[in-house]
Amino acid sequence: MRRIILVVMLTTLAGCTIEPKICGLKPIFPGPLYGGPLSGSNTELIFVPVDSLQPTLRWEPFVPSKDSGIAADNIQYDLRVWSIANGCPEDEVYARDGIQKPSHRFVSALKPATNYFWSVRARFTIAGQVRVSPWTLSQYPWRPGPDPCKLPTIPCDNYLRFRTPDPG
């Protein structure tokens, strides 16, 4: 246990980034990164740069647990993107429901050089009933208190993040 803590401390102090644990569907791009104090991120989730004002976000597909014996049908995804004010989501700037595959390219352009929060969830049918998975969030940064995965809303610090490119 001490060795694991030491490795994490050295990685963080060295200014490296680590991939935090995720609740919900695992994002592929932009993936969540958590940085150390020398990374310029102030030991928080980093706003991952995307290459376009109409980026393609990707996540791992929803796969029901084989152990559950539950068969899910009609798997689709819901995506939300928010502008940010004072470190928390302000306005929903982009929303799509019923996405058929585990990726989505924005149909309208976002603002350049802007930070955004995002999350995705699966929507599916089990025995004729529509169900949804939890919204995706990062378990880091960790704060004392309840597990962010078990809260009814996403804590501001735990949203997935990206930054659009500078103009020009």
Side-chain angles (χ1 to χ4, degrees):
M1 181 69 167
R2 288 182 187 166
R3 180 175 281 165
I4 292 171
I5 292 171
L6 179 60
V7 168
V8 170
M9 286 174 57
L10 289 174
T11 301
T12 302
L13 291 175
C16 298
T17 57
I18 59 172
E19 184 177 317
K21 291 183 180 179
I22 297 297
C23 305
L25 300 170
K26 183 178 180 187
I28 296 172
F29 182 80
L33 291 177
Y34 177 76
L38 301 178
S39 70
S41 71
N42 220 9
T43 66
E44 296 176 351
L45 285 170
I46 296 168
F47 286 91
V48 178
V50 295
D51 58 356
S52 167
L53 298 181
Q54 291 177 266
T56 299
L57 305 184
R58 296 186 311 274
W59 53 91
E60 287 187 350
F62 174 76
V63 178
S65 169
K66 292 181 182 182
D67 297 337
S68 70
I70 297 173
D73 298 317
N74 194 27
I75 298 170
Q76 300 177 355
Y77 303 95
D78 301 336
L79 173 68
R80 300 290 184 271
V81 177
W82 296 270
S83 62
I84 303 165
N86 301 316
C88 287
E90 181 178 41
D91 293 320
E92 187 177 275
V93 296
Y94 193 86
R96 289 295 180 273
D97 292 334
I99 299 169
Q100 298 296 313
K101 49 188 179 171
S103 67
H104 180 73
R105 178 175 168 81
F106 285 67
V107 294
S108 57
L110 297 168
K111 292 181 182 178
T114 303
N115 291 335
Y116 291 98
F117 286 155
W118 73 285
S119 191
V120 64
R121 71 178 178 188
R123 179 179 301 276
F124 50 95
T125 306
I126 296 177
Q129 297 291 318
V130 175
R131 309 281 175 96
V132 294
S133 71
W135 287 103
T136 298
L137 64 119
S138 170
Q139 286 186 305
Y140 294 106
W142 179 84
R143 303 277 192 265
D147 179 349
C149 297
K150 296 179 181 174
L151 295 173
T153 59
I154 301 174
C156 295
D157 291 343
N158 300 96
Y159 277 89
L160 302 176
R161 298 149 188 257
F162 67 89
R163 178 173 180 79
T164 52
D166 292 331

